[in-house]
Each structure stands twice: as C-alpha cells, then as structure tokens.
Amino acid sequence: MANEFETRMQQLIQAGQWDEFVHDCEAYELEMFSKNPSFSDTNVWFYLGFLFGYLITDDVNNARFLYKRMKDAVKTDVEIQATWAIAKCIWNHKLPEAHAMAVAHSWQPQSKVFVGALQDALQQRTLKLYSTAYSNIAIADLAQALGCDDAQAVSMAQSKG
C-alpha cells in the first residue's frame, strides 16, 4: 500500500497536480490512522509533503490544523520546523520573509521539489495580486514581494502583461 501511495505521490508531484496531491494525502492519512493509530508518530516525510501541499495550494488554514495534529516527535524534525516557520510567515502575510526562509534553509534533496513549487506558487499568487492591486509599483518593491532580484521581477511582470 505504501509503495503504491508513494508512486502515486511522485507522479502527482512531477505533474504539478497539487490539489490532487493534497486530496490523496488527506485520504491516506485517514486510512492509515484508522488502521494504525501510531501512524502519525514517525511519518515525518509524509507530513512534510502534506504540509507543503497545503501551502502550495494556498490552504494555510488546513496547514495550521495539520500542524496542530502532528505528534511532537514529528514537529521536532528540522525540515518540519523550517516549513512551519514559512507557513507562519505566509499566515501573517510576510511573503518576503517566507521567501527568505525558503532560500536560507539547507533543505534535504527530497524537499527541494516542494520548496521550489511553493516558491513558484507564492510568486504567481503575489504577481496576480499585485497586478490587480497596483497600476504602478517600484521594481524593488515588487522584487522584494516576489522574493527575487529586480531583473527577475521585471521579467515576471512582463510575462503577465
């Protein structure tokens, strides 16, 4: 069962189907918890991906509830702590800090795909928000909000029109 689930998750990650990824994580957590209540005690990688999935899909509220139901043993993991710190920044609308934390942390190779997808999602959401809220904005301010340099901010803004 776990191998089938892991294979499916890898397929969804590679395809960028994050909504479906989160849905499957929710179903898997319920199924596994009903079979083995200690499932949540040590499955750090599952919960890390699940937490990132919620953040990528802009479901910070459910990310918060997921974190609350994680066991303390899972919460002590360095990657979980770093991801939760990013989640708190997103919750408090401190996107430049979220970007900075994502870049500053030394992520495990397995986590980098989640970090990259989260940064892309945050940039796209921020760019969409700023494109409707501002008709004129300083490049440095946009770059800070997007968590990138000025040239990248200009490029992203131009690609949006």
Side-chain angles (χ1 to χ4, degrees), residues 57-76:
T57 59
D58 199 22
D59 193 349
V60 184
N61 200 40
N62 271 324
R64 191 169 58 92
F65 287 119
L66 174 64
Y67 185 79
K68 284 184 175 190
R69 71 177 176 265
M70 285 181 197
K71 300 292 182 175
D72 289 340
V74 173
K75 289 179 182 180
T76 61

Side-chain angles (χ1 to χ4, degrees), residues 91-148:
W91 179 266
N92 291 310
H93 306 287
K94 297 178 179 179
L95 295 181
E97 288 178 32
H99 286 294
M101 288 179 164
V103 170
H105 185 74
S106 180
W107 297 98
Q108 296 291 323
Q110 311 93 303
S111 303
K112 289 182 180 179
V113 66
F114 294 118
V115 176
L118 177 60
Q119 288 179 297
D120 289 345
L122 288 174
Q123 286 175 335
Q124 292 307 311
R125 288 194 295 262
T126 302
L127 196 55
K128 183 178 178 182
L129 175 67
Y130 277 46
S131 69
T132 57
Y134 294 97
S135 59
N136 191 5
I137 186 171
I139 294 170
D141 293 340
L142 181 61
Q144 182 183 18
L146 294 173
C148 62

